[in-house]
Structure formats: structure tokens, C-alpha cells
Amino acid sequence: AGGSGSSRHVPQSIARQVVEQRLAILTDNAAADERFAGKSIVVQSVRSAMCAPLLGGGQGGSDQVNVIGLIYVDSQTSLDAFGDEDLEFLIAFSGIAAVAIDNSQLINQIQREAVVLSNFQRYFAPNLAEQIAEQEEEVRLGGTKRPVVVFFSDIRGFTSMSEKMGPDDIATLLNEYFTEMVEIVFENNGTLDKFMGDAIMALWGAPIAHEDDADRAMKAAIEMQSVLAQLNVKWAAQGRQRVEIGIGIDYYEVFAGNIGSDRRLEYTVIGDAVNTASRLCSKAGKGEIIISQRFYDELKNQPAVDPEEALELKGKVDKVNVYR
């Protein structure tokens, strides 16, 4: 570049030839070269020039090669400024530069995908997280209405229990408990919506639905009670506190999607089923699972249940038919 500080550009006619042919070009007299008819060559007083394409792409197993940039050198003072050796050096250097840029872009892409995947794996089963991470349209504000199984579980009497425990003991207990319970949710292809103190909220049917979502949720609830019984045996042998949970499940149409701001999104659901499942959970005793009529009707493999007296739930005009 000259010392005048004026900007310099690759002449369009030269750039077009290089991009279209994907080949390097050497011209000894650009203004007289019949291959180029651009005004910018004359305006910029280009006499000799070389230009080589930066060829990249072919990522993810693709054979497609694209021009991702150009390296351009010219002389405004002399004709025949560059020879074949200069062109060979430029071609070699452009190959090295293209590989470096391509690798840098690939690394950035891998890092972005890893961040997205790690965020999804906090809430979704690993195989489900991979499916969602591949669907860029899912990662946006907004959502859809869809029928979803909403599942709540929480520890009975946890407040009074925690008053007798130290902070480290509480953290250890909850970490062990949540680890086992969340694994059961994921093994049955559920979505972890959130932790709320000692409570777990999980979903089936969002963001990806299956025909047997209700049965998966039912299976998860039964497995949770069974696994917790085994944990209690282990904890009792260690002289630790016994834990009992109640579970409530409902099924209905809700709003499901990413809620929040551009800086932080949270996948969740909003609707009557959330409130109903939460209140059914609060009605469930130690070791009990309470399910709504509409969830029971959705089950393909209905387990043995005891019909209960219809419940009056806060915020609902009609009583809710339930099974225990």
C-alpha cells in the first residue's frame, strides 16, 4: 500500500475471474490484458498484478469447495513486476492461509455446537439433546401450543427434615437424590424442566413428542418410587435420613417453548396442566402417585390404580377426577 492513506481494492474484473475459475491469475500488463475490462484497474493505476483464491469448505464430509477469500498483489510502477516463481509462492501461501482460516472457522463452529449441546444436556436426555441442537429453529424466543405430560415430584416433610441437618448434609442428600431421579427422567426420554427447592418438574411430549409419552412418564414415576426405596436402604445403613416423595401427573394442552430474554432462554411450559400437576403432587402422600383422569385416559398400558374421590383444587371450578 502507498503512503497516501487512500484505500485500495481488488479490481472487480480480476476478482471475478479468480472466483469464477477458482484459479490464480498473473498479468504483466493489467490495463492491456484482454481478460480484464474493469475501470478500477485504470483508476487505481494497476500495471502488474497477481491474485489467488483461498479455497475452503468441505467440512462435515462435504466435497464442496468454496472461495472464502482472495490474496491480491499489484504494482503501480512497473510492468512485468511478477514472475512465475512469484505466482507459485502466492499459490502456496494462499493454500496455507485457506487451511488456517478453514480450521479456525471449524473450531469456532465446534465450540459453538459444544456450548449449545452442553446447555441442552442440562435439561434433556443426551440423545434428545443432540436432536434439538441440530434444529437451529428450536433455539429462539416463542413456542407452540401442544398436549404435554406435566410431572411434579417433591420430598415430603423436607422443610422440617432440613432444619435438623447441616448445609453440607442437605447438599449431599439432594445431589444424590436428584442425580438418581433425573437419570430416570432421561432414561424415559423426558425433559427436565427445572428444580424448585426439593421438587422436580419434568415434561413428556415437549420439545419432541412420542406416541407413548404418557406411558414413559408413568414408568418414570413408578421407577422413581422403586429406586428411592433402594436408596433409603443404603442411606439407613449409613445412619442417614430416610426420604419419601409424592408425585403428581397431568396431561393437557399447554404453551411450550423458550421463555426469557435474548441473553438467557429457558425451555418451559405454561398452562392449566402445570398448576394441576403441582397441586396433585401436593395431595400425594409418602410413596404415592396421583394422576388426573385425562392423564389416565392417555395411557396405553394402564397400571393398577385406586379411584379416589374427586379433588377440589385451588383455582379450578370443577372437581378433578383422580387415581392413586
Side-chain angles (χ1 to χ4, degrees):
S4 64
S6 60
S7 61
R8 302 277 291 143
H9 303 283
V10 179
Q12 289 188 6
S13 55
I14 293 178
R16 190 179 302 112
Q17 286 272 352
V18 172
V19 171
E20 290 177 355
Q21 298 179 13
R22 300 186 183 184
L23 295 173
I25 282 178
L26 168 64
T27 177
D28 298 326
N29 187 347
D33 198 319
E34 295 181 354
R35 294 175 296 176
F36 316 123
K39 294 181 180 179
S40 57
I41 290 177
V42 176
V43 171
Q44 295 187 146
S45 301
V46 176
R47 295 198 173 187
S48 302
M50 294 190 300
C51 188
L54 302 178
L55 301 177
Q59 297 176 4
S62 172
D63 293 330
Q64 184 176 359
V65 177
N66 301 310
V67 177
I68 60 175
L70 299 171
I71 296 182
Y72 171 77
V73 182
D74 69 18
S75 172
Q76 296 177 292
T77 58
S78 60
L79 303 175
D80 300 318
F82 310 110
D84 291 339
E85 290 185 359
D86 297 315
L87 182 63
E88 290 175 4
F89 174 80
L90 187 67
I91 292 172
F93 184 77
S94 68
I96 295 171
V99 170
I101 295 171
D102 224 18
N103 287 343
S104 176
Q105 292 176 340
L106 180 59
I107 290 170
N108 289 337
Q109 178 185 344
I110 291 171
Q111 289 174 337
R112 286 194 301 270
E113 291 175 353
V115 170
V116 171
L117 186 58
S118 65
N119 284 333
F120 281 135
Q121 285 178 337
R122 295 166 56 197
Y123 305 103
F124 308 116
N127 61 330
L128 189 59
E130 290 179 7
Q131 293 180 50
I132 299 168
E134 292 171 358
Q135 301 174 22
E136 294 182 4
E137 67 275 9
E138 292 284 352
V139 190
R140 66 181 191 278
L141 290 169
T144 59
K145 280 191 171 182
R146 61 171 74 194
V148 170
V149 174
V150 182
F151 172 110
F152 277 88
S153 72
D154 68 8
I155 298 174
R156 302 287 81 129
F158 182 76
T159 301
S160 59
M161 180 195 309
S162 62
E163 290 174 352
K164 305 171 186 176
M165 302 170 63
D168 290 344
D169 293 333
I170 294 173
T172 299
L173 172 68
L174 288 178
N175 286 339
E176 289 186 29
Y177 165 72
F178 283 142
T179 297
E180 295 290 342
M181 299 301 107
V182 170
E183 188 62 28
I184 291 171
V185 172
F186 287 169
E187 285 176 353
N188 289 279
N189 291 109
T191 296
L192 173 64
D193 187 289
K194 61 176 67 73
F195 297 122
M196 295 170 290
D198 62 306
I200 294 172
M201 178 179 171
L203 313 170
W204 276 262
I208 296 177
H210 306 88
E211 291 184 1
D212 59 344
D213 279 323
D215 292 88
R216 294 172 191 241
M218 189 75 259
K219 183 171 178 285
I222 294 170
E223 287 179 1
M224 281 187 181
Q225 296 288 15
S226 175
V227 168
L228 184 58
Q230 297 171 27
L231 285 175
N232 277 322
V233 171
K234 183 183 78 171
W235 290 338
Q238 298 171 350
R240 296 167 63 185
Q241 181 69 47
R242 182 178 180 84
V243 172
E244 300 284 0
I245 63 172
I247 295 174
I249 312 176
D250 191 26
Y251 172 86
Y252 203 57
E253 185 178 77
V254 298
F255 170 88
N258 290 293
I259 307 291
S261 68
D262 291 334
R263 292 177 64 86
R264 187 179 190 279
L265 294 178
E266 179 180 269
Y267 190 88
T268 190
V269 296
I270 300 172
D272 178 68
V274 179
N275 300 327
T276 300
S278 176
R279 288 163 186 158
L280 293 182
C281 179
S282 67
K283 297 286 186 180
K286 296 178 179 180
E288 292 182 343
I289 303 168
I290 295 183
I291 63 176
S292 66
Q293 176 77 55
R294 55 196 184 191
F295 173 74
Y296 180 77
D297 292 341
E298 188 66 18
L299 291 167
K300 293 178 170 53
N301 299 304
Q302 296 171 334
V305 295
D306 292 324
E308 294 291 313
E309 184 177 346
L311 296 176
E312 288 186 3
L313 300 181
K314 183 179 178 181
K316 297 186 74 67
V317 176
D318 299 325
K319 291 184 177 181
V320 177
N321 295 321
V322 299
Y323 298 92
R324 191 180 307 272

